[in-house]
Amino acid sequence: MRAFAYLQNGQAGWVEKERPHASGFDAVIQPLLVSPCTSDVHNVAINCLQPQRILGHEGLGRIVEVGELVRDFHVGDLVVVPPVTPDWRTVPAQLGAHQHCDGLITGQKLSNSEDGLLAEYALIRDIDANAARIPAGVSLEAAVMAADMLNTGLYGAELAEVQPGDCVVVMGIGPVGLMAIAGARLRGAGRIIAIGSRPKCAELARFYGATDLVDYHNGDVPRQVFALTDKQGADCCVCAGGGDDALSQAVAMVRWGGAVGNVNYFTSYGDLPLNNIRFGFGMGNKTIRGGECPGGRARMERLLRLLEYQRVDPLPLITHRFTGLDQVATAFHLMETKPPELVKTIIHL
């Protein structure tokens, strides 16, 4: 089969690989809609993958083969797959850390330790536990956006423990940050201060519930937030973008006793600069939580329920649509270069 994969030295491209076959609890799907992710771009750039690892962990497809132990799904079923498809038969999973079932961030196997979805066929592990049917009336494109973007953004709001009436800062207004804004609003936030500058993303930030926009080009972000909040700081912050100083900025912006939920990728392997906070409340009784978004069937079914009952609409995230497997390379390049009008791409296969 043909697939789009990591090659070597920061390069991605086309490969020919054997088509996977299902056994046991696993299934094979034929991807129908896929969306390259910024984390695919990131993993290629830092050369952390095995050569010829097929990329992609956002998508849905039709089941073409099931293993002999699969109970709930059948050939012909249309399913959406979350990016995290862990081994649920591990002690960390039983302790509530399925995202880290075999070590740190090992639950996201698709495109990391196992071949992903940017291909003609894809193997889905333990499909009874790691895929979900799409409810009637839910757009297929929206279901793909829910799998990772809504999932991760909402998780950021959950990690930050957004409470009704809270003043929330969302750092980064890319697709995950936009869904963090929507997640904060779903959880009852009062004021939502969004940090970002790209015009299309700023427009969508307002659409999803941001009450204030702060442009980092206009000066120190924490100082701008302190000015907006009469030097009180925010109740909590979702860190969904920014550079390696974003976490220290997030800590600086929240009040004494506040919380930070981090779903951002950091490129530095050294110490994060939490000791470089120049003003604010320091580390006074603050909580920092971070991690990979949840996975599995139950989480995916809950996210789809939000779409089914029209609690949130992720479709506006899609700014570029393509048709055909050949266009995966074009969409991937867009995610690399990030033109101003881009938020997310999707490819109909």
Side-chain angles (χ1 to χ4, degrees):
M1 68 174 186
R2 193 164 181 241
F4 192 78
Y6 168 72
L7 300 177
Q8 61 181 354
N9 300 327
Q11 295 181 324
W14 296 103
V15 298
E16 291 283 337
K17 298 190 78 168
E18 290 292 324
R19 170 185 162 171
H21 291 282
S23 62
F25 295 104
D26 303 338
V28 174
I29 68 168
Q30 180 181 11
L32 300 179
L33 276 79
V34 292
S35 180
C37 182
T38 302
S39 59
D40 291 319
V41 173
H42 174 265
N43 288 342
V44 168
I46 66 172
N47 300 306
C48 67
L49 304 175
Q50 289 185 356
Q52 297 208 350
R53 172 69 67 220
I54 298 173
L55 301 169
H57 53 259
E58 295 182 56
L60 58 79
R62 195 171 303 281
I63 297 175
V64 296
E65 188 179 338
V66 295
E68 67 277 10
L69 298 178
V70 174
R71 298 173 302 176
D72 296 343
F73 293 93
H74 308 280
V75 170
D77 286 349
L78 187 64
V79 296
V80 62
V81 182
V84 174
T85 56
D87 180 354
W88 293 96
R89 296 173 58 84
T90 60
V91 171
Q94 293 179 35
L95 292 173
H98 66 270
Q99 301 100 313
H100 315 291
C101 57
D102 296 311
L104 188 62
I105 316 182
T106 53
Q108 185 181 315
K109 297 182 179 298
L110 290 171
S111 76
N112 282 357
S113 60
E114 298 174 1
D115 282 339
L117 303 178
L118 302 184
E120 294 180 286
Y121 298 95
L123 183 72
I124 306 303
R125 62 162 44 249
D126 197 358
I127 196 163
D128 286 329
N130 282 321
R133 291 184 180 87
I134 302 163
V138 171
S139 158
L140 300 187
E141 290 187 342
V144 173
M145 291 298 104
D148 190 358
M149 299 300 100
L150 174 58
N151 192 0
T152 306
L154 178 59
Y155 189 51
E158 293 172 285
L159 290 171
E161 295 189 334
V162 176
Q163 299 297 313
D166 271 354
C167 175
V168 182
V169 173
V170 175
M171 298 191 68
I173 52 176
V176 170
L178 292 170
M179 290 296 93
I181 293 169
R185 185 177 183 177
L186 280 170
R187 290 176 63 90
R191 189 178 195 181
I192 303 176
I193 303 171
I195 314 298
S197 63
R198 292 164 62 195
K200 180 61 178 178
C201 293
E203 173 191 331
L204 288 176
R206 292 283 193 190
F207 172 80
Y208 284 116
T211 56
D212 303 85
L213 290 168
V214 168
D215 186 340
Y216 55 87
H217 293 105
N218 294 334
D220 185 86
V221 169
R223 291 188 186 279
Q224 291 187 67
V225 170
F226 268 68
L228 284 172
T229 59
D230 295 325
K231 299 184 180 180
Q232 298 303 302
D235 295 299
C236 51
C237 177
V238 181
C239 191
D244 287 346
D245 61 344
L247 193 55
S248 65
Q249 291 181 337
V251 172
M253 285 186 284
V254 298
R255 61 169 173 78
W256 182 94
V260 174
N262 177 66
V263 288
N264 192 21
Y265 257 114
F266 290 106
T267 57
S268 171
Y269 291 97
D271 293 332
L272 293 172
L274 293 177
N275 58 341
N276 291 337
I277 298 169
R278 291 158 292 148
F279 74 102
F281 300 105
M283 281 297 293
N285 249 20
K286 298 178 184 180
T287 302
I288 304 174
R289 299 181 186 86
E292 185 76 359
C293 70
R297 177 177 175 178
R299 174 73 173 189
M300 196 68 247
E301 289 177 343
R302 284 173 173 261
L303 295 168
L304 292 172
R305 209 171 297 148
L306 291 175
L307 307 187
E308 182 180 7
Y309 294 99
Q310 301 177 19
R311 300 303 184 190
V312 63
D313 180 11
L315 274 177
L317 297 179
I318 303 171
T319 54
H320 294 69
R321 290 174 169 84
F322 301 94
T323 300
L325 184 63
D326 287 343
Q327 295 302 309
V328 165
T330 302
F332 185 85
H333 179 68
L334 281 173
M335 296 306 295
E336 282 183 306
T337 56
K338 290 189 176 178
E341 71 278 7
L342 173 79
V343 182
K344 281 290 288 183
T345 66
I346 199 163
I347 307 105
H348 292 252
L349 304 180

